[in-house]
mmCIF file of all heavy atoms in Angstrom:
data_model
loop_
_atom_site.group_PDB
_atom_site.id
_atom_site.type_symbol
_atom_site.label_atom_id
_atom_site.label_comp_id
_atom_site.label_asym_id
_atom_site.label_seq_id
_atom_site.Cartn_x
_atom_site.Cartn_y
_atom_site.Cartn_z
ATOM 1 N N THR A 531 139.268 -13.223 262.650
ATOM 2 C CA THR A 531 140.418 -12.500 262.080
ATOM 3 C C THR A 531 140.051 -11.056 261.735
ATOM 4 O O THR A 531 140.033 -10.677 260.559
ATOM 5 C CB THR A 531 140.901 -13.223 260.800
ATOM 6 O OG1 THR A 531 139.764 -13.389 259.931
ATOM 7 C CG2 THR A 531 141.521 -14.563 261.081
ATOM 8 N N PRO A 532 139.758 -10.228 262.748
ATOM 9 C CA PRO A 532 139.337 -8.857 262.440
ATOM 10 C C PRO A 532 140.464 -7.993 261.871
ATOM 11 O O PRO A 532 141.648 -8.322 262.032
ATOM 12 C CB PRO A 532 138.888 -8.328 263.805
ATOM 13 C CG PRO A 532 139.613 -9.145 264.806
ATOM 14 C CD PRO A 532 139.809 -10.499 264.186
ATOM 15 N N LEU A 533 140.088 -6.926 261.238
ATOM 16 C CA LEU A 533 141.000 -5.852 260.803
ATOM 17 C C LEU A 533 142.140 -6.322 259.902
ATOM 18 O O LEU A 533 143.223 -5.741 259.896
ATOM 19 C CB LEU A 533 141.591 -5.123 262.029
ATOM 20 C CG LEU A 533 140.585 -4.522 263.027
ATOM 21 C CD1 LEU A 533 141.321 -3.906 264.220
ATOM 22 C CD2 LEU A 533 139.711 -3.481 262.349
ATOM 23 N N GLY A 534 141.905 -7.405 259.165
ATOM 24 C CA GLY A 534 142.933 -7.842 258.211
ATOM 25 C C GLY A 534 143.868 -8.921 258.740
ATOM 26 O O GLY A 534 144.793 -9.335 258.049
ATOM 27 N N LEU A 535 143.624 -9.405 259.966
ATOM 28 C CA LEU A 535 144.428 -10.536 260.453
ATOM 29 C C LEU A 535 144.097 -11.756 259.602
ATOM 30 O O LEU A 535 143.016 -11.842 259.021
ATOM 31 C CB LEU A 535 144.088 -10.831 261.923
ATOM 32 C CG LEU A 535 144.632 -9.844 262.952
ATOM 33 C CD1 LEU A 535 144.135 -10.208 264.347
ATOM 34 C CD2 LEU A 535 146.168 -9.843 262.941
ATOM 35 N N HIS A 536 145.005 -12.711 259.545
ATOM 36 C CA HIS A 536 144.742 -13.902 258.755
ATOM 37 C C HIS A 536 145.619 -15.063 259.184
ATOM 38 O O HIS A 536 146.672 -14.858 259.777
ATOM 39 C CB HIS A 536 144.946 -13.627 257.256
ATOM 40 C CG HIS A 536 146.252 -12.947 256.938
ATOM 41 N ND1 HIS A 536 146.471 -11.619 257.226
ATOM 42 C CD2 HIS A 536 147.391 -13.408 256.368
ATOM 43 C CE1 HIS A 536 147.701 -11.285 256.835
ATOM 44 N NE2 HIS A 536 148.278 -12.356 256.325
ATOM 45 N N HIS A 537 145.130 -16.274 258.881
ATOM 46 C CA HIS A 537 145.856 -17.525 259.107
ATOM 47 C C HIS A 537 146.376 -17.665 260.537
ATOM 48 O O HIS A 537 147.530 -18.058 260.752
ATOM 49 C CB HIS A 537 147.026 -17.648 258.127
ATOM 50 C CG HIS A 537 147.233 -19.066 257.654
ATOM 51 N ND1 HIS A 537 147.481 -20.108 258.513
ATOM 52 C CD2 HIS A 537 147.217 -19.621 256.408
ATOM 53 C CE1 HIS A 537 147.619 -21.232 257.825
ATOM 54 N NE2 HIS A 537 147.442 -20.959 256.533
ATOM 55 N N ILE A 538 145.504 -17.362 261.487
ATOM 56 C CA ILE A 538 145.914 -17.542 262.890
ATOM 57 C C ILE A 538 145.143 -18.707 263.506
ATOM 58 O O ILE A 538 144.952 -18.780 264.714
ATOM 59 C CB ILE A 538 145.752 -16.233 263.707
ATOM 60 C CG1 ILE A 538 144.313 -15.710 263.639
ATOM 61 C CG2 ILE A 538 146.720 -15.175 263.211
ATOM 62 C CD1 ILE A 538 144.069 -14.509 264.582
ATOM 63 N N MET A 539 144.688 -19.614 262.626
ATOM 64 C CA MET A 539 143.978 -20.800 263.099
ATOM 65 C C MET A 539 145.005 -21.795 263.645
ATOM 66 O O MET A 539 146.184 -21.731 263.317
ATOM 67 C CB MET A 539 143.221 -21.479 261.945
ATOM 68 C CG MET A 539 142.085 -20.694 261.377
ATOM 69 S SD MET A 539 142.697 -19.317 260.369
ATOM 70 C CE MET A 539 141.206 -18.346 260.206
ATOM 71 N N ASN A 540 144.509 -22.727 264.419
ATOM 72 C CA ASN A 540 145.401 -23.725 264.991
ATOM 73 C C ASN A 540 145.955 -24.661 263.892
ATOM 74 O O ASN A 540 145.402 -24.759 262.810
ATOM 75 C CB ASN A 540 144.664 -24.527 266.066
ATOM 76 C CG ASN A 540 145.617 -25.006 267.143
ATOM 77 O OD1 ASN A 540 146.820 -25.107 266.905
ATOM 78 N ND2 ASN A 540 145.099 -25.287 268.314
ATOM 79 N N THR A 541 147.010 -25.327 264.267
ATOM 80 C CA THR A 541 147.814 -26.116 263.343
ATOM 81 C C THR A 541 147.103 -27.211 262.572
ATOM 82 O O THR A 541 146.318 -27.955 263.145
ATOM 83 C CB THR A 541 148.887 -26.841 264.177
ATOM 84 O OG1 THR A 541 149.530 -25.867 264.925
ATOM 85 C CG2 THR A 541 149.867 -27.558 263.311
ATOM 86 N N ASN A 542 147.432 -27.346 261.326
ATOM 87 C CA ASN A 542 147.091 -28.504 260.498
ATOM 88 C C ASN A 542 145.578 -28.705 260.295
ATOM 89 O O ASN A 542 145.085 -28.596 259.185
ATOM 90 C CB ASN A 542 147.741 -29.774 261.066
ATOM 91 C CG ASN A 542 147.751 -30.877 260.014
ATOM 92 O OD1 ASN A 542 147.300 -30.657 258.887
ATOM 93 N ND2 ASN A 542 148.239 -32.048 260.351
ATOM 94 N N HIS A 543 144.842 -28.934 261.426
ATOM 95 C CA HIS A 543 143.392 -29.108 261.230
ATOM 96 C C HIS A 543 142.696 -27.765 261.044
ATOM 97 O O HIS A 543 141.574 -27.708 260.574
ATOM 98 C CB HIS A 543 142.770 -29.890 262.388
ATOM 99 C CG HIS A 543 143.147 -29.385 263.755
ATOM 100 N ND1 HIS A 543 142.931 -28.086 264.159
ATOM 101 C CD2 HIS A 543 143.749 -30.023 264.793
ATOM 102 C CE1 HIS A 543 143.363 -27.949 265.399
ATOM 103 N NE2 HIS A 543 143.875 -29.111 265.808
ATOM 104 N N HIS A 544 143.365 -26.696 261.457
ATOM 105 C CA HIS A 544 142.809 -25.335 261.327
ATOM 106 C C HIS A 544 141.553 -25.103 262.152
ATOM 107 O O HIS A 544 140.742 -24.235 261.833
ATOM 108 C CB HIS A 544 142.546 -24.991 259.844
ATOM 109 C CG HIS A 544 143.798 -24.993 259.034
ATOM 110 N ND1 HIS A 544 143.837 -25.308 257.689
ATOM 111 C CD2 HIS A 544 145.075 -24.737 259.392
ATOM 112 C CE1 HIS A 544 145.079 -25.253 257.254
ATOM 113 N NE2 HIS A 544 145.839 -24.902 258.268
ATOM 114 N N TYR A 545 141.390 -25.918 263.195
ATOM 115 C CA TYR A 545 140.219 -25.772 264.060
ATOM 116 C C TYR A 545 140.576 -24.866 265.245
ATOM 117 O O TYR A 545 141.507 -25.152 265.998
ATOM 118 C CB TYR A 545 139.790 -27.162 264.554
ATOM 119 C CG TYR A 545 138.691 -27.135 265.577
ATOM 120 C CD1 TYR A 545 137.450 -26.569 265.285
ATOM 121 C CD2 TYR A 545 138.881 -27.690 266.848
ATOM 122 C CE1 TYR A 545 136.435 -26.547 266.224
ATOM 123 C CE2 TYR A 545 137.869 -27.683 267.785
ATOM 124 C CZ TYR A 545 136.646 -27.110 267.467
ATOM 125 O OH TYR A 545 135.647 -27.083 268.392
ATOM 126 N N GLY A 546 139.850 -23.807 265.392
ATOM 127 C CA GLY A 546 140.039 -22.930 266.545
ATOM 128 C C GLY A 546 141.270 -22.046 266.423
ATOM 129 O O GLY A 546 142.051 -22.146 265.474
ATOM 130 N N PRO A 547 141.434 -21.161 267.413
ATOM 131 C CA PRO A 547 142.537 -20.197 267.362
ATOM 132 C C PRO A 547 143.886 -20.808 267.725
ATOM 133 O O PRO A 547 143.958 -21.699 268.557
ATOM 134 C CB PRO A 547 142.123 -19.173 268.430
ATOM 135 C CG PRO A 547 141.263 -19.939 269.385
ATOM 136 C CD PRO A 547 140.557 -20.998 268.588
ATOM 137 N N GLY A 548 144.936 -20.299 267.093
ATOM 138 C CA GLY A 548 146.288 -20.757 267.433
ATOM 139 C C GLY A 548 147.308 -19.685 267.112
ATOM 140 O O GLY A 548 148.338 -19.978 266.499
ATOM 141 N N PRO A 549 147.054 -18.423 267.507
ATOM 142 C CA PRO A 549 147.975 -17.360 267.098
ATOM 143 C C PRO A 549 149.384 -17.552 267.632
ATOM 144 O O PRO A 549 150.329 -16.971 267.117
ATOM 145 C CB PRO A 549 147.333 -16.086 267.686
ATOM 146 C CG PRO A 549 146.429 -16.550 268.774
ATOM 147 C CD PRO A 549 145.960 -17.912 268.359
ATOM 148 N N TRP A 550 149.516 -18.405 268.660
ATOM 149 C CA TRP A 550 150.828 -18.625 269.276
ATOM 150 C C TRP A 550 151.668 -19.651 268.529
ATOM 151 O O TRP A 550 152.844 -19.807 268.816
ATOM 152 C CB TRP A 550 150.628 -19.127 270.719
ATOM 153 C CG TRP A 550 149.577 -20.202 270.782
ATOM 154 C CD1 TRP A 550 149.731 -21.520 270.491
ATOM 155 C CD2 TRP A 550 148.192 -20.012 271.076
ATOM 156 N NE1 TRP A 550 148.526 -22.182 270.592
ATOM 157 C CE2 TRP A 550 147.571 -21.283 270.961
ATOM 158 C CE3 TRP A 550 147.413 -18.907 271.432
ATOM 159 C CZ2 TRP A 550 146.196 -21.463 271.185
ATOM 160 C CZ3 TRP A 550 146.057 -19.091 271.659
ATOM 161 C CH2 TRP A 550 145.458 -20.356 271.537
#
Side-chain angles (χ1 to χ4, degrees):
T531 53
L533 304 177
L535 286 176
H536 49 287
H537 217 302
I538 56 173
M539 293 74 194
N540 210 338
T541 307
N542 197 1
H543 49 57
H544 298 150
Y545 173 60
W550 45 81

